[in-house]
Amino acid sequence: MTRIFLSSPDMSGTEERYLVNALRSGWVAPVGPDLDAFEREIAERCGTAHAVGVSSGTAALHLALLALGVGPGDAVIVPTLTFAATANAVVYTGAEPVFVDCRPDDGNIDASLVEAVVKQEKIKAILPVDLFGSCADYTALAALEVPIIEDAAEALGATHAGRPAGSFGRAAALSFNGNKIMTTSGGGMVVTDDEWLARRCRHLATQAREPVPHYEHADVGYNYRLSNLLAALGRAQLSRLDEMIKRRRQLRERYAERFAGLPGVRLLGAGDPGANCWLTAIVVDPDEAGWQAHELGAHLDRHDIETRPVWKPMHLQPVYRGRRAWLTGAADRLFATGLNLPSGSAIRDPDRIFAAIDEFLERR
Ligand SMILES: *Cc1c(COP(=O)(O)O)cnc(C)c1O
């Protein structure tokens, strides 16, 4: 029996064809027609004027922050409930992350708490995360009039108030890491409407080389560009994005049906019509349910089915101990009671997951 993972890459003959064509074209470096086309296609999907293909989502966050002018002495608001890369990118620039707690219903950053923070502290930028593929509340966050960089690493294809993820704030970062909704094996993109910002990111991503015949540098640059080969893979994945989102959504609906009516069990972010359903998580109140999320996780693991607690909050991470944090306890509770379930579009035998869940619930 093969292990069922949370979110593994979903490849088809289309990817093979695009990749082989790119290889045969000779454009194997981080420059070429597939990279240009991939940037155009992603910008179109996100509803932005510009896109810059880079080597990872983390690199995209780093460049977007640098282009915004974030640096030493600055404070940037980061949700505490996120993957470490969000906070790390802030630290790379020399700025300080200020962690802010989340809403209990969907785990996204608590906009009213952000409002309280920006009234009391000098904040250079807000870096909201679109958690597990549900957009943060940009309607409330935009009203605060602090520059926003959107961490849309998990949210390509999602929408908020009818607008696509990636279109909020001054710029957004996408990730094409192997476990994301679509992948280039590794890769990312900065998307923005701001032409200067896009040009600055492109410049910094290519070692900040000045446009003269010899090697001339006025800035410390980075080697962050995306390979043309991987961009070809990305174009193939993008052509299948809607189909892959549909499969993830169907899986989420099936989880919703299975857990409906069970006391103390809910789906995190249930009812967001704009979610891309990257990862589905359940939240289990052990007093009401009579069982704990991690017990279901252990049971599924014995059936060779992967699950994972929701992100361990940044303020609990050893590396970020002692940093400033504005907390309500919501992220702590979600970490203690939440479980990400297998959500990938490449899962071919979901019946196995549901049989194992049935077995667990029948024994309770
Ligand atoms: C995956 C992820 C990243 C980092 O993307 P990489 O491509 O792996 O560098 C950043 N932020 C969030 C919220 C993520 O989930």
Side-chain angles (χ1 to χ4, degrees):
M1 213 161 36
T2 53
R3 187 163 174 82
I4 294 180
F5 292 100
L6 271 192
S7 177
S8 41
D10 183 347
M11 293 292 145
S12 72
T14 308
E15 283 75 5
E16 185 173 333
R17 214 169 53 246
Y18 273 69
L19 199 49
V20 168
N21 284 344
L23 188 63
R24 288 185 181 152
S25 76
W27 293 99
V28 297
V31 57
D34 284 295
L35 181 53
D36 295 342
F38 187 40
E39 289 178 339
R40 279 197 307 274
E41 290 161 5
I42 286 286
E44 191 180 330
R45 180 79 202 207
C46 293
T48 61
H50 308 280
V52 182
V54 292
S55 51
S56 71
T58 311
L61 286 169
H62 186 194
L63 291 177
L65 290 164
L66 288 173
L68 196 66
V70 172
D74 292 331
V76 176
I77 289 180
V78 173
T80 192
L81 193 66
T82 184
F83 177 53
T86 317
N88 292 348
V90 173
V91 174
Y92 296 167
T93 68
E96 286 263 332
V98 176
F99 298 117
V100 171
D101 219 317
C102 64
R103 299 191 296 213
D105 62 335
D106 68 355
N108 271 319
I109 196 163
D110 182 336
S112 55
L113 194 52
V114 173
E115 186 178 2
V117 179
V118 301
K119 279 184 179 151
Q120 293 200 28
E121 296 196 27
K122 193 169 183 304
I123 297 295
K124 177 82 174 181
I126 308 170
L127 186 47
V129 172
D130 302 327
L131 194 75
F132 303 138
S134 276
C135 285
D137 184 359
Y138 293 104
T139 311
L141 292 168
L144 304 178
E145 295 184 336
V146 177
I148 290 172
I149 303 281
E150 177 187 2
D151 183 346
E154 305 175 357
L156 181 61
T159 58
H160 165 75
R163 267 177 60 185
S167 69
F168 301 98
R170 297 285 303 278
L174 303 174
S175 167
F176 312 123
N177 187 29
N179 68 356
K180 293 303 201 291
I181 195 127
M182 59 167 258
T183 184
T184 59
S185 81
M189 194 89 74
V190 180
V191 285
T192 179
D193 273 335
D194 185 325
E195 188 185 351
W196 184 89
L197 218 89
R199 228 182 310 124
R200 182 77 187 150
C201 288
R202 203 178 291 275
H203 179 64
L204 291 173
T206 46
Q207 306 281 24
R209 190 181 168 195
E210 297 295 331
V212 293
H214 60 275
Y215 278 89
E216 177 88 3
H217 306 273
D219 285 295
V220 174
Y222 301 86
N223 182 9
Y224 275 172
R225 276 296 260 167
L226 181 66
S227 148
N228 187 72
L229 280 184
L230 300 186
L233 192 54
R235 294 184 70 197
Q237 287 266 282
L238 186 57
S239 76
R240 297 178 50 235
L241 179 63
D242 288 322
E243 162 210 325
M244 294 193 290
I245 290 174
K246 193 170 151 210
R247 291 185 66 93
R248 286 185 193 252
R249 183 161 291 137
Q250 284 167 346
L251 203 47
R252 178 170 295 191
E253 280 162 9
R254 206 167 153 187
Y255 285 125
E257 276 167 32
R258 184 62 192 86
F259 291 107
L262 289 185
V265 185
R266 65 180 174 98
L267 251 59
L268 187 67
D272 172 8
N276 71 359
C277 302
W278 173 55
L279 288 186
T280 294
I282 52 164
V283 183
V284 182
D285 177 339
D287 296 332
E288 269 189 67
W291 52 276
Q292 308 213 35
H294 71 81
E295 292 170 329
L296 175 60
H299 175 84
L300 293 178
D301 186 57
R302 286 193 288 277
H303 285 76
D304 234 348
I305 297 166
E306 185 187 29
T307 63
R308 192 170 58 205
V310 303
W311 302 127
K312 179 172 180 176
M314 290 303 107
H315 70 271
L316 296 178
Q317 298 288 353
V319 67
Y320 287 123
R321 196 170 291 145
R323 298 278 186 155
R324 273 180 289 164
W326 291 65
L327 304 173
T328 61
D332 288 358
R333 277 192 296 280
L334 287 179
F335 175 54
T337 59
L339 188 73
N340 281 127
L341 300 169
S343 308
S345 52
I347 294 171
R348 290 294 170 250
D349 46 356
D351 290 352
R352 229 181 88 200
I353 306 169
F354 289 91
I357 291 173
D358 288 347
E359 188 187 273
F360 175 84
L361 291 174
E362 275 154 24
R363 283 194 206 156
R364 298 285 127 181

